[in-house]
Amino acid sequence: MDSAHHRIKVIVPIPMDAAGVANRRGQLAPETIAPGFEPVFEAVKWGAALGDSYHDMLLMDWTVFQAGLHAEEDGFAAVVVDTVSDSGVRALRSRLSIPVIGPGEAAFHMAMMLGKRFTILTMWPEWFPLYEKTLTDYHLHDRCASLRSINTRPDVTELLAGKEDVIFAKLEAEARAAIDQDGADVIVLGSTTMHQSAAHLAKLLPIPVINPGVVAWKQAELLVTLGLSHSKRAFPSPEVPKDADITKGWT
């Protein structure tokens, strides 16, 4: 493979058809992809439906881990997980030496480079446990001004298409409440499935709006370009890998 051509695997944590994957791929406009990089989006082959429960959180961790297990040997330069829940990220870092990026971690830390306290703005409160887990893992609870939702059941395949007028207004109202009532100085969108609202909100709000999927992608490009990856002291490899068992019966 040409050394100037870097393929990055982007794992969608919900099983879906090619049209659904294409909608997720739409978060990366051509101008956001640096020369020499190619995103390869792939959905898990089985697993969770909505990420709305601890049941689904476990399935997302497991199936994303399965989907990324062979990325390094398949020649990918990095892995990005296409969910702010950062499902499977730490397990994949343990198994792989190439960079593995979660949009939640990337977005939260970007928010802390641009402000002091951020609000996670999301579709429905059923996703709050996803953020509570990652905020705990990253020791960022005290930097999070609030979790806010618009109490609207998400469509993880069709995303926001056709519902922009209603959804965008609700998101703007909650974002303004986060600024005025919670002290937020940065907004982080709570899902990569909300990417269609990012530019609209950024134009209307007086504070930065973080689009997590794009930030995660650019972070992956940065690490590959600089030749950096996660510390194996922090994420040690297993002494006895179980690759065959992990993928057994998974076709």
Side-chain angles (χ1 to χ4, degrees):
M1 185 173 63
D2 183 350
S3 61
H5 183 77
H6 303 292
R7 292 184 307 139
I8 295 179
K9 185 168 192 172
V10 185
I11 303 173
V12 178
I14 305 292
M16 60 185 63
D17 62 16
V21 173
N23 285 338
R24 308 281 292 227
R25 169 68 175 77
Q27 67 192 282
L28 296 181
E31 60 271 19
T32 67
I33 302 169
F37 287 90
E38 176 192 355
V40 180
F41 277 69
E42 176 187 311
V44 296
K45 298 190 186 322
W46 71 282
L50 287 169
D52 61 344
S53 58
Y54 289 103
H55 167 280
D56 275 22
M57 288 169 68
L58 174 62
L59 291 181
M60 290 193 297
D61 277 331
W62 182 241
T63 57
V64 167
F65 180 60
Q66 284 183 317
L69 195 63
H70 299 295
E72 189 166 358
E73 63 188 77
D74 289 341
F76 288 97
V79 173
V80 174
V81 176
D82 189 29
T83 169
V84 177
S85 64
D86 293 359
S87 300
V89 165
R90 289 190 163 188
L92 283 174
R93 285 178 180 166
S94 177
R95 186 64 188 88
L96 306 177
S97 62
I98 58 174
V100 181
I101 308 300
E105 188 171 25
F108 300 160
H109 286 89
M110 177 62 76
M112 291 301 84
M113 292 173 66
L114 302 179
K116 295 179 179 179
R117 301 186 76 218
F118 60 91
T119 282
I120 303 173
L121 177 62
T122 194
M123 295 296 288
W124 61 345
E126 282 82 350
W127 281 347
F128 285 2
L130 306 177
Y131 317 127
E132 290 163 356
K133 179 181 185 298
T134 51
L135 289 169
T136 298
D137 287 347
Y138 308 145
H139 305 285
L140 287 174
H141 273 290
D142 63 334
R143 310 302 294 276
C144 182
S146 58
L147 306 178
R148 281 188 171 268
S149 89
I150 60 170
N151 291 303
T152 301
R153 187 181 188 275
D155 186 326
V156 295
T157 301
E158 294 295 328
L159 311 185
L160 306 181
K163 301 179 281 288
E164 292 91 345
D165 288 348
V166 174
I167 297 297
F168 288 6
K170 288 182 178 180
L171 289 171
E172 182 191 354
E174 285 298 322
R176 291 192 182 279
I179 297 167
D180 296 338
Q181 299 173 27
D182 307 334
D185 48 39
V186 180
I187 297 292
V188 174
L189 297 182
S191 175
T192 57
T193 64
M194 297 166 65
H195 69 84
Q196 291 136 320
S197 67
H200 177 84
L201 291 173
K203 280 188 281 189
L204 295 175
L205 298 176
I207 62 174
V209 176
I210 305 292
N211 188 357
V214 176
V215 169
W217 170 261
K218 298 307 288 187
Q219 181 70 24
E221 287 183 351
L222 177 65
L223 292 178
V224 170
T225 300
L226 296 178
L228 291 172
S229 192
H230 50 273
S231 167
K232 296 305 286 185
R233 186 177 178 90
F235 302 98
S237 299
E239 183 176 311
V240 184
K242 295 288 185 177
D243 293 12
D245 292 328
I246 291 166
T247 57
K248 189 181 296 182
W250 186 55
T251 59

